[in-house]
Amino acid sequence: QVQLVESGGGLVQAGGSLRLSCAASGRFFRINTMGWYRQALGKQRELVATITSGGSTNSADSVKGRFTISRDNAKNTVYLQMNSLKPEDTAVYYCNANAYWGSFSDYWGQGTQVTVSS
C-alpha cells in the first residue's frame, strides 16, 4: 500500500506562483510514473503533468510553458512548480503514483486546493 501526501496548495492572485509537493510512503519496490491531475468544480479530472522515474515528462497544452514537473527519486517525491497562474487553473490538484509491489497499481493523494483569484 502506498500513501501520497500533498502539500503546497492555497490562494494566489493571477500571475502568481505556487509549488506543490507530493511525498510517497508505504510498501513498494519502486515507483514508475508520478504525476499531477486536477479537477475543477463541475468538471472531469484532467491530466496536468507526469514524469517517469527516468525523468521523461508530459504535460497538458494548457500548462506548457507555465508549469514544471520534477521529481526526487531518493525522496519518492514529485513537485509541480506553477507560474503565471490563471483563474482557470483553480481546481483540486491530485497527486498520482504508479507503484510496484507484486504488480503495478495506481495510487492517489487526497487532493490539495489551488485557488487563483483574478
Side-chain angles (χ1 to χ4, degrees), residues 58-102:
N58 178 48
S59 60
D61 288 343
S62 60
V63 306
K64 278 186 168 68
R66 299 188 298 123
F67 292 9
T68 301
I69 190 170
S70 61
R71 177 172 175 169
D72 185 333
N73 288 331
K75 296 181 179 179
N76 294 314
T77 299
V78 63
Y79 307 95
L80 186 68
Q81 178 65 44
M82 304 185 292
N83 299 328
S84 302
L85 282 160
K86 304 175 181 179
E88 51 263 44
D89 294 319
T90 295
V92 178
Y93 284 69
Y94 295 92
C95 176
N96 172 270
N98 183 254
Y100 183 81
W101 180 256

mmCIF file of all heavy atoms in Angstrom, residues 58-102:
data_model
loop_
_atom_site.group_PDB
_atom_site.id
_atom_site.type_symbol
_atom_site.label_atom_id
_atom_site.label_comp_id
_atom_site.label_asym_id
_atom_site.label_seq_id
_atom_site.Cartn_x
_atom_site.Cartn_y
_atom_site.Cartn_z
ATOM 1 N N ASN A 58 5.585 14.771 -19.450
ATOM 2 C CA ASN A 58 4.472 15.006 -20.357
ATOM 3 C C ASN A 58 3.558 16.000 -19.651
ATOM 4 O O ASN A 58 3.362 15.910 -18.434
ATOM 5 C CB ASN A 58 3.717 13.702 -20.630
ATOM 6 C CG ASN A 58 2.520 13.914 -21.528
ATOM 7 O OD1 ASN A 58 2.617 14.555 -22.562
ATOM 8 N ND2 ASN A 58 1.370 13.395 -21.127
ATOM 9 N N SER A 59 3.022 16.962 -20.393
ATOM 10 C CA SER A 59 2.131 17.928 -19.746
ATOM 11 C C SER A 59 1.017 18.352 -20.690
ATOM 12 O O SER A 59 1.141 18.242 -21.914
ATOM 13 C CB SER A 59 2.917 19.147 -19.269
ATOM 14 O OG SER A 59 3.546 19.791 -20.346
ATOM 15 N N ALA A 60 -0.054 18.849 -20.097
ATOM 16 C CA ALA A 60 -1.179 19.333 -20.876
ATOM 17 C C ALA A 60 -0.798 20.617 -21.610
ATOM 18 O O ALA A 60 0.003 21.420 -21.108
ATOM 19 C CB ALA A 60 -2.360 19.600 -19.953
ATOM 20 N N ASP A 61 -1.386 20.808 -22.774
ATOM 21 C CA ASP A 61 -1.076 22.007 -23.561
ATOM 22 C C ASP A 61 -1.402 23.276 -22.780
ATOM 23 O O ASP A 61 -0.717 24.297 -22.917
ATOM 24 C CB ASP A 61 -1.874 21.990 -24.866
ATOM 25 C CG ASP A 61 -1.354 20.958 -25.846
ATOM 26 O OD1 ASP A 61 -0.209 20.493 -25.674
ATOM 27 O OD2 ASP A 61 -2.096 20.612 -26.783
ATOM 28 N N SER A 62 -2.433 23.216 -21.945
ATOM 29 C CA SER A 62 -2.887 24.396 -21.215
ATOM 30 C C SER A 62 -1.882 24.888 -20.174
ATOM 31 O O SER A 62 -1.975 26.032 -19.714
ATOM 32 C CB SER A 62 -4.227 24.112 -20.537
ATOM 33 O OG SER A 62 -4.102 23.033 -19.629
ATOM 34 N N VAL A 63 -0.930 24.034 -19.799
ATOM 35 C CA VAL A 63 0.037 24.443 -18.771
ATOM 36 C C VAL A 63 1.459 24.509 -19.297
ATOM 37 O O VAL A 63 2.370 24.913 -18.558
ATOM 38 C CB VAL A 63 -0.026 23.507 -17.537
ATOM 39 C CG1 VAL A 63 -1.441 23.416 -16.998
ATOM 40 C CG2 VAL A 63 0.533 22.128 -17.860
ATOM 41 N N LYS A 64 1.670 24.125 -20.535
ATOM 42 C CA LYS A 64 3.022 24.162 -21.111
ATOM 43 C C LYS A 64 3.587 25.577 -21.046
ATOM 44 O O LYS A 64 2.909 26.551 -21.370
ATOM 45 C CB LYS A 64 3.002 23.670 -22.553
ATOM 46 C CG LYS A 64 3.023 22.153 -22.692
ATOM 47 C CD LYS A 64 3.154 21.733 -24.150
ATOM 48 C CE LYS A 64 3.461 20.247 -24.295
ATOM 49 N NZ LYS A 64 2.342 19.402 -23.888
ATOM 50 N N GLY A 65 4.834 25.662 -20.625
ATOM 51 C CA GLY A 65 5.492 26.954 -20.520
ATOM 52 C C GLY A 65 5.227 27.671 -19.207
ATOM 53 O O GLY A 65 5.862 28.680 -18.912
ATOM 54 N N ARG A 66 4.277 27.157 -18.419
ATOM 55 C CA ARG A 66 3.955 27.795 -17.129
ATOM 56 C C ARG A 66 4.218 26.856 -15.957
ATOM 57 O O ARG A 66 4.663 27.302 -14.892
ATOM 58 C CB ARG A 66 2.478 28.217 -17.104
ATOM 59 C CG ARG A 66 2.110 29.217 -18.186
ATOM 60 C CD ARG A 66 0.689 29.737 -17.981
ATOM 61 N NE ARG A 66 -0.308 28.671 -18.057
ATOM 62 C CZ ARG A 66 -1.165 28.398 -17.074
ATOM 63 N NH1 ARG A 66 -1.152 29.099 -15.947
ATOM 64 N NH2 ARG A 66 -2.067 27.423 -17.215
ATOM 65 N N PHE A 67 3.922 25.584 -16.106
ATOM 66 C CA PHE A 67 4.087 24.592 -15.039
ATOM 67 C C PHE A 67 5.275 23.692 -15.354
ATOM 68 O O PHE A 67 5.483 23.319 -16.515
ATOM 69 C CB PHE A 67 2.846 23.712 -14.904
ATOM 70 C CG PHE A 67 1.612 24.398 -14.405
ATOM 71 C CD1 PHE A 67 1.542 25.782 -14.266
ATOM 72 C CD2 PHE A 67 0.487 23.651 -14.066
ATOM 73 C CE1 PHE A 67 0.392 26.410 -13.810
ATOM 74 C CE2 PHE A 67 -0.665 24.252 -13.606
ATOM 75 C CZ PHE A 67 -0.713 25.638 -13.487
ATOM 76 N N THR A 68 6.014 23.331 -14.315
ATOM 77 C CA THR A 68 7.143 22.421 -14.468
ATOM 78 C C THR A 68 7.037 21.309 -13.440
ATOM 79 O O THR A 68 6.918 21.580 -12.233
ATOM 80 C CB THR A 68 8.474 23.160 -14.279
ATOM 81 O OG1 THR A 68 8.583 24.221 -15.232
ATOM 82 C CG2 THR A 68 9.645 22.196 -14.467
ATOM 83 N N ILE A 69 7.081 20.074 -13.906
ATOM 84 C CA ILE A 69 7.063 18.925 -13.003
ATOM 85 C C ILE A 69 8.485 18.432 -12.815
ATOM 86 O O ILE A 69 9.287 18.433 -13.758
ATOM 87 C CB ILE A 69 6.131 17.807 -13.536
ATOM 88 C CG1 ILE A 69 5.933 16.727 -12.470
ATOM 89 C CG2 ILE A 69 6.647 17.229 -14.842
ATOM 90 C CD1 ILE A 69 4.828 15.721 -12.823
ATOM 91 N N SER A 70 8.802 18.041 -11.591
ATOM 92 C CA SER A 70 10.117 17.487 -11.305
ATOM 93 C C SER A 70 9.972 16.421 -10.231
ATOM 94 O O SER A 70 8.901 16.270 -9.639
ATOM 95 C CB SER A 70 11.094 18.583 -10.856
ATOM 96 O OG SER A 70 10.639 19.203 -9.660
ATOM 97 N N ARG A 71 11.078 15.726 -9.982
ATOM 98 C CA ARG A 71 10.965 14.564 -9.105
ATOM 99 C C ARG A 71 12.284 14.310 -8.405
ATOM 100 O O ARG A 71 13.351 14.502 -8.994
ATOM 101 C CB ARG A 71 10.578 13.376 -9.970
ATOM 102 C CG ARG A 71 10.466 12.049 -9.309
ATOM 103 C CD ARG A 71 9.887 11.069 -10.313
ATOM 104 N NE ARG A 71 9.873 9.735 -9.772
ATOM 105 C CZ ARG A 71 9.240 8.714 -10.324
ATOM 106 N NH1 ARG A 71 8.561 8.892 -11.449
ATOM 107 N NH2 ARG A 71 9.274 7.531 -9.781
ATOM 108 N N ASP A 72 12.215 13.886 -7.157
ATOM 109 C CA ASP A 72 13.385 13.447 -6.403
ATOM 110 C C ASP A 72 13.170 11.969 -6.094
ATOM 111 O O ASP A 72 12.408 11.622 -5.182
ATOM 112 C CB ASP A 72 13.523 14.274 -5.121
ATOM 113 C CG ASP A 72 14.792 13.960 -4.349
ATOM 114 O OD1 ASP A 72 15.314 12.823 -4.471
ATOM 115 O OD2 ASP A 72 15.271 14.834 -3.623
ATOM 116 N N ASN A 73 13.807 11.096 -6.851
ATOM 117 C CA ASN A 73 13.591 9.657 -6.676
ATOM 118 C C ASN A 73 14.054 9.169 -5.303
ATOM 119 O O ASN A 73 13.466 8.256 -4.735
ATOM 120 C CB ASN A 73 14.299 8.877 -7.779
ATOM 121 C CG ASN A 73 13.609 9.043 -9.123
ATOM 122 O OD1 ASN A 73 12.410 9.256 -9.206
ATOM 123 N ND2 ASN A 73 14.392 8.955 -10.191
ATOM 124 N N ALA A 74 15.113 9.767 -4.782
ATOM 125 C CA ALA A 74 15.627 9.345 -3.478
ATOM 126 C C ALA A 74 14.617 9.619 -2.365
ATOM 127 O O ALA A 74 14.570 8.902 -1.364
ATOM 128 C CB ALA A 74 16.937 10.053 -3.172
ATOM 129 N N LYS A 75 13.787 10.654 -2.551
ATOM 130 C CA LYS A 75 12.784 11.020 -1.554
ATOM 131 C C LYS A 75 11.386 10.563 -1.947
ATOM 132 O O LYS A 75 10.426 10.825 -1.220
ATOM 133 C CB LYS A 75 12.769 12.536 -1.351
ATOM 134 C CG LYS A 75 14.060 13.097 -0.782
ATOM 135 C CD LYS A 75 13.950 14.615 -0.587
ATOM 136 C CE LYS A 75 15.229 15.173 0.004
ATOM 137 N NZ LYS A 75 15.152 16.650 0.187
ATOM 138 N N ASN A 76 11.274 9.904 -3.094
ATOM 139 C CA ASN A 76 9.959 9.480 -3.595
ATOM 140 C C ASN A 76 8.966 10.637 -3.591
ATOM 141 O O ASN A 76 7.808 10.503 -3.161
ATOM 142 C CB ASN A 76 9.409 8.311 -2.762
ATOM 143 C CG ASN A 76 10.234 7.056 -2.918
ATOM 144 O OD1 ASN A 76 10.597 6.671 -4.027
ATOM 145 N ND2 ASN A 76 10.571 6.428 -1.800
ATOM 146 N N THR A 77 9.444 11.767 -4.067
ATOM 147 C CA THR A 77 8.649 12.986 -4.038
ATOM 148 C C THR A 77 8.576 13.605 -5.424
ATOM 149 O O THR A 77 9.579 13.640 -6.151
ATOM 150 C CB THR A 77 9.255 13.997 -3.051
ATOM 151 O OG1 THR A 77 9.256 13.415 -1.732
ATOM 152 C CG2 THR A 77 8.444 15.283 -3.010
ATOM 153 N N VAL A 78 7.397 14.092 -5.764
ATOM 154 C CA VAL A 78 7.193 14.784 -7.023
ATOM 155 C C VAL A 78 6.742 16.208 -6.718
ATOM 156 O O VAL A 78 6.044 16.452 -5.727
ATOM 157 C CB VAL A 78 6.167 14.052 -7.919
ATOM 158 C CG1 VAL A 78 4.785 14.010 -7.273
ATOM 159 C CG2 VAL A 78 6.100 14.665 -9.297
ATOM 160 N N TYR A 79 7.173 17.138 -7.559
ATOM 161 C CA TYR A 79 6.865 18.556 -7.368
ATOM 162 C C TYR A 79 6.169 19.104 -8.611
ATOM 163 O O TYR A 79 6.364 18.610 -9.719
ATOM 164 C CB TYR A 79 8.143 19.352 -7.122
ATOM 165 C CG TYR A 79 9.001 18.825 -6.008
ATOM 166 C CD1 TYR A 79 10.058 17.962 -6.279
ATOM 167 C CD2 TYR A 79 8.757 19.174 -4.684
ATOM 168 C CE1 TYR A 79 10.850 17.459 -5.261
ATOM 169 C CE2 TYR A 79 9.551 18.681 -3.653
ATOM 170 C CZ TYR A 79 10.589 17.831 -3.956
ATOM 171 O OH TYR A 79 11.373 17.335 -2.933
ATOM 172 N N LEU A 80 5.393 20.147 -8.396
ATOM 173 C CA LEU A 80 4.793 20.870 -9.515
ATOM 174 C C LEU A 80 4.974 22.354 -9.249
ATOM 175 O O LEU A 80 4.347 22.908 -8.348
ATOM 176 C CB LEU A 80 3.310 20.540 -9.679
ATOM 177 C CG LEU A 80 2.641 21.153 -10.913
ATOM 178 C CD1 LEU A 80 3.206 20.507 -12.191
ATOM 179 C CD2 LEU A 80 1.128 20.994 -10.858
ATOM 180 N N GLN A 81 5.863 22.965 -10.003
ATOM 181 C CA GLN A 81 6.074 24.411 -9.914
ATOM 182 C C GLN A 81 5.104 25.079 -10.879
ATOM 183 O O GLN A 81 5.150 24.826 -12.086
ATOM 184 C CB GLN A 81 7.507 24.771 -10.274
ATOM 185 C CG GLN A 81 7.800 26.260 -10.249
ATOM 186 C CD GLN A 81 7.687 26.862 -8.866
ATOM 187 O OE1 GLN A 81 8.173 26.293 -7.894
ATOM 188 N NE2 GLN A 81 7.031 28.019 -8.765
ATOM 189 N N MET A 82 4.243 25.919 -10.341
ATOM 190 C CA MET A 82 3.209 26.558 -11.148
ATOM 191 C C MET A 82 3.460 28.062 -11.163
ATOM 192 O O MET A 82 3.411 28.722 -10.121
ATOM 193 C CB MET A 82 1.828 26.256 -10.571
ATOM 194 C CG MET A 82 1.534 24.774 -10.436
ATOM 195 S SD MET A 82 -0.144 24.411 -9.899
ATOM 196 C CE MET A 82 -0.090 25.042 -8.238
ATOM 197 N N ASN A 83 3.752 28.586 -12.337
ATOM 198 C CA ASN A 83 3.995 30.017 -12.516
ATOM 199 C C ASN A 83 2.925 30.615 -13.417
ATOM 200 O O ASN A 83 2.212 29.901 -14.116
ATOM 201 C CB ASN A 83 5.371 30.247 -13.126
ATOM 202 C CG ASN A 83 6.498 29.729 -12.261
ATOM 203 O OD1 ASN A 83 6.415 29.734 -11.036
ATOM 204 N ND2 ASN A 83 7.568 29.275 -12.897
ATOM 205 N N SER A 84 2.838 31.925 -13.406
ATOM 206 C CA SER A 84 1.869 32.645 -14.252
ATOM 207 C C SER A 84 0.482 32.037 -14.125
ATOM 208 O O SER A 84 -0.197 31.766 -15.126
ATOM 209 C CB SER A 84 2.333 32.615 -15.712
ATOM 210 O OG SER A 84 3.610 33.189 -15.852
ATOM 211 N N LEU A 85 0.060 31.835 -12.908
ATOM 212 C CA LEU A 85 -1.229 31.180 -12.666
ATOM 213 C C LEU A 85 -2.386 32.023 -13.161
ATOM 214 O O LEU A 85 -2.343 33.260 -13.106
ATOM 215 C CB LEU A 85 -1.382 30.879 -11.173
ATOM 216 C CG LEU A 85 -0.605 29.649 -10.700
ATOM 217 C CD1 LEU A 85 -0.382 29.676 -9.197
ATOM 218 C CD2 LEU A 85 -1.322 28.377 -11.116
ATOM 219 N N LYS A 86 -3.403 31.328 -13.647
ATOM 220 C CA LYS A 86 -4.604 31.960 -14.188
ATOM 221 C C LYS A 86 -5.820 31.500 -13.386
ATOM 222 O O LYS A 86 -5.806 30.408 -12.800
ATOM 223 C CB LYS A 86 -4.795 31.567 -15.650
ATOM 224 C CG LYS A 86 -3.613 31.864 -16.554
ATOM 225 C CD LYS A 86 -3.859 31.322 -17.953
ATOM 226 C CE LYS A 86 -2.685 31.586 -18.870
ATOM 227 N NZ LYS A 86 -2.912 31.043 -20.249
ATOM 228 N N PRO A 87 -6.884 32.271 -13.384
ATOM 229 C CA PRO A 87 -8.102 31.829 -12.672
ATOM 230 C C PRO A 87 -8.584 30.461 -13.130
ATOM 231 O O PRO A 87 -9.109 29.686 -12.317
ATOM 232 C CB PRO A 87 -9.101 32.934 -13.005
ATOM 233 C CG PRO A 87 -8.258 34.150 -13.202
ATOM 234 C CD PRO A 87 -7.010 33.649 -13.874
ATOM 235 N N GLU A 88 -8.385 30.139 -14.396
ATOM 236 C CA GLU A 88 -8.829 28.834 -14.892
ATOM 237 C C GLU A 88 -7.987 27.672 -14.389
ATOM 238 O O GLU A 88 -8.311 26.518 -14.638
ATOM 239 C CB GLU A 88 -8.895 28.816 -16.430
ATOM 240 C CG GLU A 88 -7.631 29.299 -17.115
ATOM 241 C CD GLU A 88 -7.718 30.763 -17.515
ATOM 242 O OE1 GLU A 88 -8.200 31.590 -16.701
ATOM 243 O OE2 GLU A 88 -7.275 31.085 -18.644
ATOM 244 N N ASP A 89 -6.902 27.965 -13.685
ATOM 245 C CA ASP A 89 -6.112 26.911 -13.049
ATOM 246 C C ASP A 89 -6.718 26.503 -11.699
ATOM 247 O O ASP A 89 -6.246 25.546 -11.073
ATOM 248 C CB ASP A 89 -4.674 27.382 -12.816
ATOM 249 C CG ASP A 89 -3.918 27.611 -14.114
ATOM 250 O OD1 ASP A 89 -4.061 26.792 -15.035
ATOM 251 O OD2 ASP A 89 -3.185 28.616 -14.204
ATOM 252 N N THR A 90 -7.728 27.215 -11.248
ATOM 253 C CA THR A 90 -8.371 26.889 -9.986
ATOM 254 C C THR A 90 -8.975 25.492 -10.037
ATOM 255 O O THR A 90 -9.747 25.167 -10.945
ATOM 256 C CB THR A 90 -9.477 27.917 -9.669
ATOM 257 O OG1 THR A 90 -8.873 29.197 -9.467
ATOM 258 C CG2 THR A 90 -10.257 27.522 -8.426
ATOM 259 N N ALA A 91 -8.589 24.653 -9.078
ATOM 260 C CA ALA A 91 -9.041 23.261 -9.054
ATOM 261 C C ALA A 91 -8.477 22.575 -7.815
ATOM 262 O O ALA A 91 -7.619 23.139 -7.122
ATOM 263 C CB ALA A 91 -8.574 22.520 -10.304
ATOM 264 N N VAL A 92 -8.945 21.371 -7.581
ATOM 265 C CA VAL A 92 -8.286 20.488 -6.613
ATOM 266 C C VAL A 92 -7.241 19.703 -7.394
ATOM 267 O O VAL A 92 -7.562 19.090 -8.420
ATOM 268 C CB VAL A 92 -9.281 19.541 -5.926
ATOM 269 C CG1 VAL A 92 -8.534 18.609 -4.971
ATOM 270 C CG2 VAL A 92 -10.346 20.344 -5.185
ATOM 271 N N TYR A 93 -6.016 19.748 -6.920
ATOM 272 C CA TYR A 93 -4.912 19.068 -7.582
ATOM 273 C C TYR A 93 -4.606 17.765 -6.842
ATOM 274 O O TYR A 93 -4.414 17.758 -5.617
ATOM 275 C CB TYR A 93 -3.677 19.970 -7.612
ATOM 276 C CG TYR A 93 -3.788 21.050 -8.653
ATOM 277 C CD1 TYR A 93 -4.702 22.090 -8.515
ATOM 278 C CD2 TYR A 93 -2.996 21.029 -9.800
ATOM 279 C CE1 TYR A 93 -4.826 23.072 -9.481
ATOM 280 C CE2 TYR A 93 -3.109 22.014 -10.771
ATOM 281 C CZ TYR A 93 -4.025 23.028 -10.608
ATOM 282 O OH TYR A 93 -4.154 24.000 -11.571
ATOM 283 N N TYR A 94 -4.555 16.691 -7.619
ATOM 284 C CA TYR A 94 -4.331 15.361 -7.065
ATOM 285 C C TYR A 94 -3.000 14.797 -7.546
ATOM 286 O O TYR A 94 -2.678 14.870 -8.736
ATOM 287 C CB TYR A 94 -5.438 14.401 -7.491
ATOM 288 C CG TYR A 94 -6.802 14.742 -6.947
ATOM 289 C CD1 TYR A 94 -7.680 15.542 -7.683
ATOM 290 C CD2 TYR A 94 -7.219 14.261 -5.716
ATOM 291 C CE1 TYR A 94 -8.929 15.862 -7.196
ATOM 292 C CE2 TYR A 94 -8.475 14.573 -5.217
ATOM 293 C CZ TYR A 94 -9.322 15.374 -5.961
ATOM 294 O OH TYR A 94 -10.569 15.688 -5.485
ATOM 295 N N CYS A 95 -2.273 14.204 -6.625
ATOM 296 C CA CYS A 95 -1.038 13.508 -6.939
ATOM 297 C C CYS A 95 -1.361 12.057 -7.289
ATOM 298 O O CYS A 95 -2.261 11.448 -6.680
ATOM 299 C CB CYS A 95 -0.115 13.576 -5.732
ATOM 300 S SG CYS A 95 1.423 12.667 -5.905
ATOM 301 N N ASN A 96 -0.648 11.524 -8.242
ATOM 302 C CA ASN A 96 -0.823 10.133 -8.662
ATOM 303 C C ASN A 96 0.524 9.447 -8.732
ATOM 304 O O ASN A 96 1.514 10.061 -9.152
ATOM 305 C CB ASN A 96 -1.510 10.084 -10.018
ATOM 306 C CG ASN A 96 -1.552 8.684 -10.613
ATOM 307 O OD1 ASN A 96 -0.629 8.286 -11.341
ATOM 308 N ND2 ASN A 96 -2.581 7.941 -10.303
ATOM 309 N N ALA A 97 0.563 8.172 -8.338
ATOM 310 C CA ALA A 97 1.789 7.390 -8.445
ATOM 311 C C ALA A 97 1.449 5.991 -8.922
ATOM 312 O O ALA A 97 0.475 5.390 -8.459
ATOM 313 C CB ALA A 97 2.515 7.333 -7.110
ATOM 314 N N ASN A 98 2.242 5.503 -9.834
ATOM 315 C CA ASN A 98 2.129 4.129 -10.319
ATOM 316 C C ASN A 98 3.259 3.334 -9.676
ATOM 317 O O ASN A 98 4.422 3.523 -10.052
ATOM 318 C CB ASN A 98 2.213 4.113 -11.837
ATOM 319 C CG ASN A 98 2.018 2.728 -12.411
ATOM 320 O OD1 ASN A 98 2.969 2.086 -12.864
ATOM 321 N ND2 ASN A 98 0.797 2.260 -12.389
ATOM 322 N N ALA A 99 2.906 2.508 -8.686
ATOM 323 C CA ALA A 99 3.927 1.846 -7.874
ATOM 324 C C ALA A 99 3.853 0.337 -8.013
ATOM 325 O O ALA A 99 2.781 -0.238 -8.269
ATOM 326 C CB ALA A 99 3.758 2.247 -6.408
ATOM 327 N N TYR A 100 5.023 -0.311 -7.795
ATOM 328 C CA TYR A 100 5.110 -1.757 -7.943
ATOM 329 C C TYR A 100 5.313 -2.436 -6.597
ATOM 330 O O TYR A 100 6.258 -2.136 -5.864
ATOM 331 C CB TYR A 100 6.283 -2.107 -8.869
ATOM 332 C CG TYR A 100 6.391 -3.591 -9.134
ATOM 333 C CD1 TYR A 100 5.573 -4.191 -10.089
ATOM 334 C CD2 TYR A 100 7.284 -4.390 -8.433
ATOM 335 C CE1 TYR A 100 5.649 -5.557 -10.326
ATOM 336 C CE2 TYR A 100 7.367 -5.749 -8.665
ATOM 337 C CZ TYR A 100 6.551 -6.328 -9.622
ATOM 338 O OH TYR A 100 6.617 -7.677 -9.857
ATOM 339 N N TRP A 101 4.387 -3.364 -6.299
ATOM 340 C CA TRP A 101 4.503 -4.233 -5.116
ATOM 341 C C TRP A 101 3.832 -5.541 -5.496
ATOM 342 O O TRP A 101 2.682 -5.800 -5.186
ATOM 343 C CB TRP A 101 3.833 -3.596 -3.893
ATOM 344 C CG TRP A 101 3.917 -4.428 -2.639
ATOM 345 C CD1 TRP A 101 2.921 -5.159 -2.081
ATOM 346 C CD2 TRP A 101 5.066 -4.590 -1.800
ATOM 347 N NE1 TRP A 101 3.370 -5.788 -0.946
ATOM 348 C CE2 TRP A 101 4.683 -5.463 -0.747
ATOM 349 C CE3 TRP A 101 6.373 -4.123 -1.831
ATOM 350 C CZ2 TRP A 101 5.562 -5.847 0.264
ATOM 351 C CZ3 TRP A 101 7.234 -4.507 -0.822
ATOM 352 C CH2 TRP A 101 6.839 -5.354 0.198
ATOM 353 N N GLY A 102 4.567 -6.358 -6.275
ATOM 354 C CA GLY A 102 3.964 -7.571 -6.816
ATOM 355 C C GLY A 102 3.337 -7.319 -8.172
ATOM 356 O O GLY A 102 3.403 -8.149 -9.069
#
